[in-house]
Amino acid sequence: MTADSEMEIKEAFNRAQKGHNNKAKLVAVLKSRYNKLEDKTLFHEKFIHYLKYAMIVYKREPAVENVIEFVAKFASSFQSSSKNDKEGEQQQEEEDEEEEEEDDHPFLTFIFNFLLESHKANSHAVRFRVCQLINKLLGSMSENAQIDDDLFDNLHQAMLIRVTDKFPNVRIQAALAMTRLQQPQDPDCPTVSAYMLILDNDSNAEVRRAVLSCIAMSPITLVKVLKRTRDVKESVRKLAYQVLADKVHVKALSIAQRVTLLEEGLHDTSEAVREAVKTRLLPSWLKHLDGDVVLLLPRLDVENCSETALEVLKAIFTNMPEEEMLKDRVQLGTSKLIPGDALSCENVIYWRALCEFVRAKGDEGEEMLEKILPDAATYADYLQGFVRTVPVLSEAQRAEFNSLEMAMRKEFISQQLIHLVGCLDTNEEGGRRRVLAVLQELLCRPQTPASLVSLLTEKLLSLIPDDNRRIQMVAEIISDVREPIAEAGPPLDGAQERRKQIKLAEVKVRILEARQALDDCIAAQEFSNAAQFKDSITELENQRNLVLQETAEGSQPVDRESDPDTLLRCLTMCAELLKQMNIKTRIGPTLSAIVSSLIVPCIANAHPAVRNMAVVCLGTSALHSKELAKAHMVLLLQIAQLDEVKIRISALRSIIDLLLLFSFQLLSEKPVAQATPASHSPGGQEEEEPMEEKGDLAGDTAQSILQLLSEFLDGEVSDLRTETAQGLAKLMYMDRFSSAKMFSRLVLLWYNPVTEGDTSLRHCLGVFFQLYARESRAHQEVVGESFLPTVRTLMNAPATSPLAEVDPSNVVELLVELTRPGTLIKPSANHEVCVHDSMALRVCGEILKDQTAPEVRLYAKTLNNLEVSANEGARQELHALLLEVTQVVKDRISLRAVEKVIDRLVDSTEQAEQHTETALQPLDINADEFVAEDPSKSVKKPKRGQKKTPAPKSGRKGSRRAESSEESDGENVPESLPRARPSRRAKTAALERYKLDLNPLIDQEANTS
């Protein structure tokens, strides 16, 4: 190779650094020079020589990125030209020969071999550039490009190693490079396995995003992509929904997967994720269904997930023009009603969602609402007619799937039609009265399904604003429903009666014959035949009992006074009434009569559903009367301990609500004045009592209730345990009681592996801890007092206990963070003793009790993380205790941690003294003028290359995970603080100053050589 060729390579690399240069032209010029050379070895060496200058730079400099782009285009141009030559050939054999030639192109093979040799370099910059070049080279090849099998295997193995690299940027480029190396049809493909492993385990969000963007969809990988929609990072969740929208057909997902995706996506905490679902996922699904919204609804199971379907429809309506909404989607007739025979679950839910969406617009949607909904009186008659068609199934009909399915479908349609009552214009008196009359008639009708009673009552009460009128209306309906009906069923004619008697006689004769045969088989010791006769006797006896029951039902009147279905219907109406009433409305004579005659007797009913609804009604009614609450609190406590789980939970909720409203004073005969919380001394010793209550408790009864709730926390019933934990969290947050031991119990319950699957419990407690500790200083003191009992419990837990698996350092870290003074919503202005001061004194006292205990090292680490206040007395006392600790502790690690705390205390004391001396010195007037003349000189800047003095750190150190996350390049750049925007000239000057140029390095190397 001549010197001119070397200069051309150097010039090409120099020009490639400039973004404005035409890289295609540079590639063409350099390629023509390459093709003219006979010996291409020296060209390869010089090309790699100049490429290495760019490969040692890790930062994403524009010049380096341009060079990498140029190299990728130049190398891939040989494959492209071979492809173009191949397309010009006519015969298949000649095409195969051309493919073999292009697979073995010397320059492309040389570049790949060089990159494969360099991927194990010690420099992370080189590894990053190697993976980046391989990614760009493979991406620049045509879709039908082929490479040598050995080269494919070598690239595959190298990238599989690099996806486990220490640096996230290297892993990102390696994952992107393997995009064209994956084989989704092969269940054992190592690339797909590596992708799935990264999605599950990689700690860097940008690496997971890179894998999501390039992973191929298959039944195996689809599950992993669906899991990323619940990722902890917003950007990963958003990209997961975008990938599902672009790569996955709606029919490839099951109904449960579709519903879960939409339900979680539309309720995501991030606005960007919600917008991705609305603007990317839903339009993509509609595109697969030719834009028909009604066709999407059967794929969402609207009968079981009606609320999700409503949210989906309203999200679609947001971006849909008015003409599309009214485009014959619900088959409305001239009367603005869907014909009864055309009603389906899909079109009725669409009708309801459309009406609610238009009504939510207010005055803007009135005109459109009139086009899709009739007047109130017409709709009331339409609703009444359809609800009457809902069949009442007998026991035999319930066993038939088709009959049961038809009845459930009609009940669902009826529910949606009742919901539409809320969209009607009831300002006109005649229409409103007609709607009230229809709703009242449907509630009194015995054939109305029980699933519609609560909804009918809700809509009826929403039309009556006055609570007294509501009570009177519901009382009248309950009276009509409970009125005893003495009418017997329709009389049987003579022929039917004779047929029943004949059938009964036949069954009795067959029973006698079977019993005789059974005795004969037993006597002959034919036990197999005897077993068959015994089974036939059982069937015949069941038939006889059924005939007798039908005869008895036809002759006895129906007593609705004690009928369970009637009682449940009345209690449901009563519960809905109490829920709709204003909390300030007192219990009047009418409600008192309902409580005494209906609710309280049903507490002892034999049917669990009736008892449960009666407990709900009793607890809700007690919220309106303190006397009623006092009278029935003991009954609710007994139910919470003795009945079925569902009923116990209802009673527990009622107890918690009553305690939240009336406090524990409800249990005392005389009101107890609330005492002010006692101040906690820093060195106070904690009390060793079974339940230490710092708030206002009403005697032994309150202690018994808390003891009962504490026992529920230890129970095996997860639902009851979750409800109890939520109730205790509410009571503590509302300052109904204050207990460090109870807080410690909740913390241990949160960390207990037994509750790992209880997401509701963990979510509730996780939110409660943050809110409770931030609310006030008194709450932080409770958290501080719970520190030592919690640590003791964990350290003393036996090996068989689930708490033995909990890491105590994590629990300590949580309690320290909760008690930091800076986390308070309203921090105190005066420099008083903070909670960390008292915690430090207690920890020192615990260390001095037993210097050889295994938790001493944990306590020493905790002392290092505490923020001691500026209170001089607390500092001196803590300093004295720390000096005493250093004399008795023998463990080196613990001793070193304690000495750090002492040094920090001494340094802060000296700084405070210097600050005080400076403040006492006389002021210099000229100093202010000097600072005003040149503000920049007031700040002493470190010299270039000199390390800046780090600011004193507070709290725990930043994790390595955060550092690795920040160094990865991507869209998740941390948002900087708002600052003044510099001018365009200033930005250009800054870019020119810090822009990297490879030319000096190349020239320096050339001169030295």
Side-chain angles (χ1 to χ4, degrees), residues 306-307 310 348-349 352 356 379 383 387 410-423 435-436 438-440 442-443 448-463 474 477 568-569 571-577 579-580 613:
S306 58
E307 293 302 322
L310 284 172
V348 73
I349 199 76
R352 175 193 167 188
E356 291 181 354
Y379 186 81
L383 173 64
V387 174
K410 286 200 169 187
E411 285 186 21
F412 176 80
I413 295 174
S414 300
Q415 289 176 354
Q416 307 311 312
L417 294 177
I418 295 170
H419 276 293
L420 276 172
V421 172
C423 298
V435 173
L436 284 173
V438 168
L439 294 176
Q440 188 174 0
L442 292 176
L443 284 172
T448 301
S451 59
L452 304 179
V453 173
S454 177
L455 197 54
L456 287 169
T457 309
E458 177 187 349
K459 297 304 176 185
L460 175 69
L461 298 177
S462 65
L463 298 175
V474 172
I477 297 174
L568 184 60
R569 185 187 300 265
L571 289 170
T572 304
M573 288 187 283
C574 185
E576 192 63 38
L577 168 66
K579 185 171 68 174
Q580 296 285 342
M613 191 57 66

Side-chain angles (χ1 to χ4, degrees), residues 592-836:
S592 298
I594 293 176
V595 170
S596 59
S597 62
L598 175 65
I599 297 176
V600 175
C602 288
I603 295 290
N605 196 279
H607 293 269
V610 177
R611 291 204 308 275
N612 183 54
M613 191 57 66
V615 169
V616 172
C617 292
L618 182 62
T620 312
S621 60
L623 295 174
H624 296 269
S625 172
K626 192 171 184 179
E627 290 73 18
L628 194 64
K630 287 182 179 180
H632 297 290
M633 175 61 87
V634 177
L635 177 60
L636 292 173
L637 289 171
Q638 292 176 348
I639 295 173
Q641 300 176 71
L642 303 176
D643 217 316
E644 296 184 2
V645 174
K646 186 177 180 180
I647 305 175
R648 293 174 65 187
I649 292 175
S650 299
L652 181 61
R653 289 175 179 170
S654 300
I655 294 169
I656 297 297
D657 290 341
L658 292 175
L659 293 177
L660 284 172
L661 184 62
F662 300 116
S663 182
F664 284 93
Q665 295 179 0
L666 178 69
L667 306 171
S668 59
E669 297 181 357
K670 297 180 181 180
V672 180
Q674 185 168 351
T676 57
S679 60
H680 303 277
S681 61
Q685 302 293 328
E686 68 172 5
E687 299 174 4
E688 300 290 339
E689 295 183 6
M691 186 63 67
E692 179 185 7
E693 306 303 335
K694 301 286 174 79
D696 179 25
L697 298 181
D700 296 337
T701 309
Q703 293 278 2
S704 301
I705 293 179
L706 293 176
Q707 185 66 32
L708 174 65
L709 297 179
S710 180
E711 292 174 0
F712 289 162
L713 292 178
D714 298 329
E716 298 180 356
V717 184
S718 61
D719 294 338
L720 189 63
R721 182 175 60 224
T722 302
E723 198 65 38
T724 305
Q726 292 179 356
L728 288 170
K730 293 177 183 178
L731 291 172
M732 291 188 69
Y733 182 74
M734 297 301 294
D735 290 329
R736 293 299 178 261
F737 79 100
S738 178
S739 171
K741 291 293 182 64
M742 188 62 74
F743 189 88
S744 175
R745 292 289 302 278
L746 294 178
V747 171
L748 294 174
L749 184 66
W750 194 49
Y751 278 99
N752 199 323
V754 175
T755 63
E756 185 175 0
D758 197 343
T759 55
S760 299
L761 172 66
R762 294 213 164 184
H763 177 72
C764 169
L765 291 180
V767 174
F768 162 70
F769 293 148
Q770 298 291 334
L771 295 178
Y772 181 77
R774 293 175 55 199
E775 185 66 24
S776 67
R777 163 71 185 276
H779 289 180
Q780 282 195 343
E781 291 177 356
V782 173
V783 179
E785 291 173 7
S786 68
F787 176 81
L788 288 179
T790 306
V791 175
R792 287 198 198 106
T793 304
L794 291 174
M795 300 303 295
N796 298 330
T800 57
S801 173
L803 292 177
E805 304 175 14
V806 180
D807 185 5
S809 61
N810 290 339
V811 183
V812 168
E813 185 178 357
L814 170 69
L815 296 177
V816 170
E817 290 297 324
L818 291 178
T819 51
R820 292 196 182 278
T823 60
L824 285 173
I825 298 177
K826 295 180 180 180
S828 57
N830 54 347
H831 299 284
E832 58 182 2
V833 179
C834 67
V835 179
H836 277 195

Side-chain angles (χ1 to χ4, degrees), residues 129-285:
R129 295 299 176 183
V130 166
C131 296
Q132 185 186 24
L133 265 174
I134 293 177
N135 174 31
K136 289 185 177 295
L137 286 172
L138 294 177
S140 301
M141 293 183 176
S142 59
E143 293 183 2
N144 57 351
Q146 297 181 359
I147 60 176
D148 184 68
D149 291 341
D150 294 335
L151 179 60
F152 177 89
D153 294 337
N154 292 334
L155 289 173
H156 206 176
Q157 293 300 324
M159 293 301 99
L160 286 174
I161 295 174
R162 293 279 67 81
V163 291
T164 60
D165 197 276
K166 175 182 177 181
F167 288 83
N169 277 337
V170 181
R171 301 200 299 271
I172 290 173
Q173 295 300 325
L176 294 175
M178 290 197 300
T179 303
R180 303 192 65 179
L181 304 179
Q182 58 182 324
Q183 299 172 348
Q185 295 83 8
D186 183 8
D188 300 326
C189 175
T191 300
V192 176
S193 301
Y195 278 169
M196 293 191 295
L197 190 65
I198 291 172
L199 288 177
D200 284 340
N201 301 315
D202 201 291
S203 59
N204 188 274
E206 288 304 312
V207 180
R208 300 197 297 271
R209 291 184 75 250
V211 173
L212 275 178
S213 64
C214 60
I215 190 171
M217 286 297 110
S218 67
I220 301 175
T221 59
L222 178 60
V223 179
K224 301 296 182 181
V225 176
L226 290 173
K227 189 177 180 181
R228 286 306 102 202
T229 59
R230 297 183 292 275
D231 196 277
V232 295
K233 289 291 184 179
E234 168 192 336
S235 57
V236 181
R237 299 197 302 271
K238 179 182 176 181
L239 183 60
Y241 280 106
Q242 293 174 353
V243 169
L244 290 171
D246 297 338
K247 297 183 180 180
V248 181
H249 196 282
V250 62
K251 295 181 180 179
L253 300 169
S254 65
I255 292 179
Q257 289 172 337
R258 297 185 203 118
V259 172
T260 303
L261 275 176
L262 293 174
E263 186 175 357
E264 294 178 351
L266 293 174
H267 291 94
D268 197 278
T269 56
S270 170
E271 179 65 26
V273 177
R274 296 196 296 269
E275 284 299 318
V277 175
K278 295 177 183 178
T279 59
R280 295 289 295 274
L281 187 64
L282 286 176
S284 174
W285 288 2

